Amino acid sequence: MERRYLPGLAASCAALSLTATLTGCGALGGLTGDNEVTLRVVAADYGDNPQNSSEKYWKALADGFEKDNPGVNVEVSVYSWSEVDAKVAQMVKAGKAPDIAQIGAYADYAEAGKLYTADELLSVKTEADFLGPLADAGKVKRVQYGLPFVASTRLLFYNEKLLTDAGVIPKDSKTGWQPKSWAELEAAAKKLKGAGVPTPFALPLGREEAQAETMMWMLSGGGGYTDNEEEYAIDSAENVKTLEFLRDKMVGQGLTGPVEPAKLDRQAAFDAFTRGEVGMLNGHPTLLKQAAGKGVKFGMVTMPTADGTEHSAMGVADWVMAFKNGHRKESGKFLDRLYETKNVTAFTNTYDLLPATTSGYRAMANGTTGSAPQLKTFLDALPTSKLYPVGKKSWAGVSEDVKQNIGKSVQPGGQPAKVLEDIATAARAAEPR
């Protein structure tokens, strides 16, 4: 998946090298002696300032691993999300791939035969600990190459004051708002519009994250980007009906605010929510701190569905992979250490993310990790979530196609069936068989 779908992933300005300096086209150090091995690791920075940079986490992890594994040195370089994927691509192109990379996508490298499989690297205990949906999303042709690093899910946020003032939530309510169907969502948006709320429901289908907003709606409509066989089903009847609902009921009735969806980006929608201008929108954990910091009292619920029955929520993950550099054993040991529960939860607690492992999930669910209580609603949706089809080499191009075209399909006069058919046809043509 792409960096922007996870919360708290603001970029730092430059690479942060822990024990080595990048040279040439991305080579990181080298062997320190005839009997020693140097593991070269590249990771992304999840911090938004030097004080909370991911550098601290990786340094502590590397130091502890080196202490317990004499003869294995670990060199880590931490890059901003705006450049880390490109840096790794440059290294691979130059024939100097890192041993381990923690970045946004793995499928291209797996398809090219450059990665070790999960069962070549990990202990049975570690491999079995990944949450099912995340492990499945790390597979190419049923073989796991991508190791999920951290995860997130998406929920529907609502402004409690705006919904109460509009009569959606009774003033004496103790339970907040619990919508189950799109009909309830539409009715609430109409009341918000009648109460003068500038944007009853924010629908960000701009380039920043159109593919995420689209997937959330597709899933809640009983569809998705792929079918149960993981084949592209972008132009399914369910998806067409979903976009027609958005076009006719939400956009067509003026319930999505003054900015047309194709021109509204996710962060702009978040900013408007924190200013009290938005009644409802889909969001991820980043919005928790942003809204609370502005004094907005809000609630969070699972996305309502077309017919009121439960469907999978959208999940998102970032990935770890190990390149075939001849250090399989050492890389596997380091990754086993990375996925120990204490290390998983140390990272997720720092950045308000969700663990990718069952043990980490249980620790957070049981309240033993000190995580923010508000994350529990996101956590509850994780085990049954559905992720982007990141195991498909074609996904990056499909995602870009969605970003460019999906917004216009929900405008008055838009043609959802035609737009989805065009995207689906290109997707199938681009996917190797």
Side-chain angles (χ1 to χ4, degrees), residues 106-129:
Y106 66 88
D108 282 1
Y109 301 126
E111 287 275 1
K114 296 182 180 297
L115 302 181
Y116 289 117
T117 63
D119 61 3
E120 289 175 322
L121 293 162
L122 305 174
S123 68
V124 173
K125 179 182 177 181
T126 300
E127 187 178 3
D129 198 27

Side-chain angles (χ1 to χ4, degrees), residues 23-46:
T23 59
C25 292
L28 285 165
L31 297 179
T32 58
D34 291 341
N35 298 318
E36 294 187 346
V37 169
T38 296
L39 285 182
R40 301 168 297 154
V41 180
V42 173
D45 194 355
Y46 288 69

Side-chain angles (χ1 to χ4, degrees), residues 19 25 28 42 45 59 100 118 129 163 205 207 225 235 277 289 296 302 306 363 383 397-398 419 421 428:
T19 59
C25 292
L28 285 165
V42 173
D45 194 355
K59 185 179 189 311
I100 294 171
D129 198 27
L163 267 68
L205 293 176
R207 283 189 52 81
Y225 287 120
D235 53 350
E277 299 169 3
K289 288 184 177 179
V296 176
T302 302
V398 174
V419 171
E421 181 183 3
R428 293 176 183 128

Side-chain angles (χ1 to χ4, degrees), residues 335-348:
L335 292 170
D336 280 337
R337 175 69 64 96
L338 175 67
Y339 285 106
E340 289 178 3
T341 303
K342 64 180 180 180
N343 294 324
V344 169
T345 56
F347 194 91
T348 56

Side-chain angles (χ1 to χ4, degrees), residues 25 30 51 55 131 134 141 191 205 276 307 321 356 382 423:
C25 292
Q51 285 67 47
E55 177 191 30
L131 288 167
L134 304 183
K141 298 177 181 177
K191 287 185 177 181
L205 293 176
D307 57 5
M321 62 216 69
L382 185 59
I423 295 172

Side-chain angles (χ1 to χ4, degrees), residues 291-311:
K294 296 291 186 178
V296 176
K297 191 175 182 181
F298 59 89
M300 301 176 298
V301 294
T302 302
M303 177 70 174
T305 63
D307 57 5
T309 62
E310 291 188 7
H311 294 303

